[in-house]
Amino acid sequence: MGWSTLGCNQQDLWGASERFVNCKPARMVPKVAGGRAANTAHRNQTFFIQIVVDCESMRRREILRRISLPPTHTSKLLKGECAEMNKPTLKEQAHGEIEKIFRILLPQNGLSVREEQITLCHAMLDTLLKNNIALCDAGVGIGKTYAYLTACILLKKFAPHGPAGSQPVVISTSSVALQDSIIEEYIPFLSRIFLENRVISKPIRAIVRKGKERFVCDARLSQRLEAVKDKNKNAKQLKALLSLRTYYDLDSVTGLSGFDRRQVCVPKVCEKTCPLRSACRYHQYLKEARSAEIFVQICNHNYLLADAAHRLQELRPLLNDYRALVIDEAHKLPDAARQMYGKSLSAEDFSELCTLLAKEKYALAAQRLKEKFTALMGAMCRGELLEEAQRTAFVLTPDREAALRDCLSILRQIQKQLALHLPRWILYQLGTTEQTLNLFFTGDRKYILYIQYDRDGSPSLCAATREMPEQLRHALWSKETPAILTSGTLMAGGSFDRTRQLMGLSANNRLDDFIAVSPFDYQENCLLYIPDDMPKAQMGSEKEAKCLSEQICRLVETTHGHTLVLFTSYSLMGAVYNQVKEHLSFPLMVVWRHSQDIIHQFKQTQNAVLFAAGSCWEGVDFPGDMVSSLIIVRLPFPVPDPISEAEREQYPTLQDYIREVIIPDMQVKLRQGFGRAIRTETDTCVVSILDHRAAPEERYHRAVLETLPPLHIARKIEDVEDFIRTKKSPDYFMP
């Protein structure tokens, strides 16, 4: 094995050996501690044994002096005789490549050596090679994306045999932003480095897989452009529509109206007689996606579950048969499963069904159906504006029963009378609508039935399955496909129990657990502030809003802005905002729903204050001094709703339910919020929790400390001021 194979020179080796010898012990905590550290050390030694024999004798002596090896190995290495150790197994070679990649190749290209990341990659590769399933709780700054991508690439390289050898891997995420980063940044970066250093022989090809409603139908686009040709259409919307002649991915175009999007997207059923079918960009995309040259298929959790449903029903899979599965942002998988395995009907769904019937020239049937749907929605309506979206248990009152019976009757009539005249996919939609309404009419106990009210009071009928963990088990874990589930919030209270239960993995005998602790120095760079003068006020009261406002104003002035305030409800956020807006000397911004422009504005402002709730608890990045003060107003306990009430019934006592469900769910949410504080090695931040239940003498103090990394705790505002003045440069305090 020569230097060309290693992709490094002797100086690189010397630097790598120095890092190896002097590195800090990995802070990777496996499920079974026995043997893991020893295995890691063996892999490290194996890597250097493989390369040290190529060194000139003087260098060899210098390196070996720093590495503890058995005397027989040392003697042979000094003589350049290591034939028996120069024939590692494919598995050993793969693990040796991990060492080379993360200790030499990636540092040569600007990345830091992180022991936790290297150990995590070893663990992920072991999981894939053994066809196991791993829950990997990876702290902020680990670099888990590089870890699992490298593990997947080495799986293909060193275990290529058998029918699965040519199969791709699937990476499922919950966010479009992460999908874009993987395909535009991570994979091109690794592909270039691995090609240059002969780790791989061909570029890594990847593609994003999504539903057909996300792509342009060329035939429908042509029709839509013709329809608006002589119309006085909004200039921005027209520009977006015209740009679709170049871009076939609807998500890549801004300014497109919702109506235009629905008019030009690929229909649920493509007619085989379509004149543009042979040149259709969507079908070309499908052909590319199914190519054997594609190694990484990227999708979201909903698409992954839809593919699994197709396979269980023996329909054509949406994804190519895959060799391994990686689920990033895995804490979002249960939410996607609830949506996938649940059912819902809104006023928009009913309206769309009536529109489809009218387009097929059955206007009378559409009108009759619309009348019955309107009556049903009227029986569900609250008739008032709400401060928050709400879920309430469905109750079958006499007027709702009558409205449901009428809707079911007309749906059945239409299906019977028009069965030979309507397109198959419209008949399917009529049938699924009937089935969903029948759940509410019969009170099906397999589902949790509730009404979801938007803030304007408009209702949606929702049915959540009671069997979600079992359905996940059957859909994803019943085969021998290896899988890696990773996130920064899979563990709660020192345990993976809640995650195992939600994922349908409680009884799985192929399961491994790994904890990769964040490399950030939280004790040095972060301060936890729990004020000792936080009064106990009734939640939702005017007194609570006033007390919180006073504390927030004190903290903002102490930290000179640079503050993110996380609320657990929009109503509380609004109440506090009204009290503080006239009293702060720093720019104050509020993120309501879908206010990405406000977040961007906050990032561009030197010392602003941002009030946020909802989705801002995770997935938003504020590096540097943007957020030097993170204020968590309340501990994020889940809000009681019909779904949680149904889950409570499974536990013998309320205390059991609180201990096993409520507290772990709060801890996961708290970790997500805390993750907004420190995003890089050099960030410094004060994290304040203004909930009196988090105080040392209160019942949830221990649960809070179990959730967060070891931190110094302050009880007085003067300690916060001292921390900020010590950690921040003079520029920080400039207006």
Side-chain angles (χ1 to χ4, degrees), residues 186-335:
Y186 288 98
I187 288 179
F189 178 74
L190 289 178
S191 185
R192 175 182 64 79
I193 293 170
F194 291 179
L195 279 170
E196 290 174 355
N197 293 277
R198 302 182 184 179
V199 176
I200 56 178
S201 58
K202 297 190 296 184
I204 305 163
R205 292 190 61 190
I207 196 166
V208 176
R209 304 298 308 273
K210 3 185 190 184
K212 57 175 58 178
E213 72 280 357
R214 303 289 188 111
F215 297 96
V216 174
C217 168
D218 287 325
R220 299 181 79 193
L221 175 63
S222 179
Q223 294 169 6
R224 183 60 182 158
L225 290 174
E226 184 64 27
V228 302
K229 184 170 63 176
D230 299 321
K231 302 289 178 65
N232 187 24
K233 188 172 179 59
N234 176 281
K236 184 178 179 181
Q237 293 178 4
L238 180 60
K239 182 180 179 182
L241 198 59
L242 290 169
S243 72
L244 294 176
R245 293 181 297 190
T246 303
Y247 303 101
Y248 70 94
D249 186 340
L250 293 171
D251 295 334
S252 64
V253 174
T254 58
L256 191 68
S257 72
F259 181 80
D260 283 338
R261 188 181 181 109
R262 290 190 295 273
Q263 293 300 305
V264 304
C265 71
V266 176
K268 293 180 179 176
V269 177
C270 292
E271 298 295 335
K272 294 183 179 179
T273 57
C274 176
L276 299 179
R277 189 177 178 90
S278 60
C280 171
R281 288 178 292 170
Y282 173 67
H283 283 278
Q284 290 175 357
Y285 157 79
L286 285 182
K287 184 179 179 180
E288 180 188 6
R290 292 165 182 159
S291 167
E293 296 298 313
I294 299 295
F295 174 58
V296 180
Q297 299 181 101
I298 306 168
C299 66
N300 62 23
H301 299 340
N302 295 81
Y303 197 86
L304 174 69
L305 294 171
D307 171 77
H310 275 231
R311 294 173 188 272
L312 291 174
Q313 299 170 38
E314 297 185 350
L315 301 173
R316 182 173 183 174
L318 301 177
L319 295 163
N320 291 6
D321 290 342
Y322 51 90
R323 182 175 190 182
L325 172 64
V326 177
I327 302 178
D328 202 343
E329 303 173 313
H331 65 283
K332 289 287 192 179
L333 183 62
D335 290 337

Side-chain angles (χ1 to χ4, degrees), residues 569-586:
S569 76
Y570 288 102
S571 57
L572 179 60
M573 184 170 74
V576 174
Y577 172 77
N578 288 329
Q579 295 215 20
V580 305
K581 61 183 180 181
E582 304 297 333
H583 299 92
L584 290 180
S585 54
F586 299 94

Side-chain angles (χ1 to χ4, degrees), residues 292 338 363 375 447:
R338 289 190 186 95
Y447 293 87

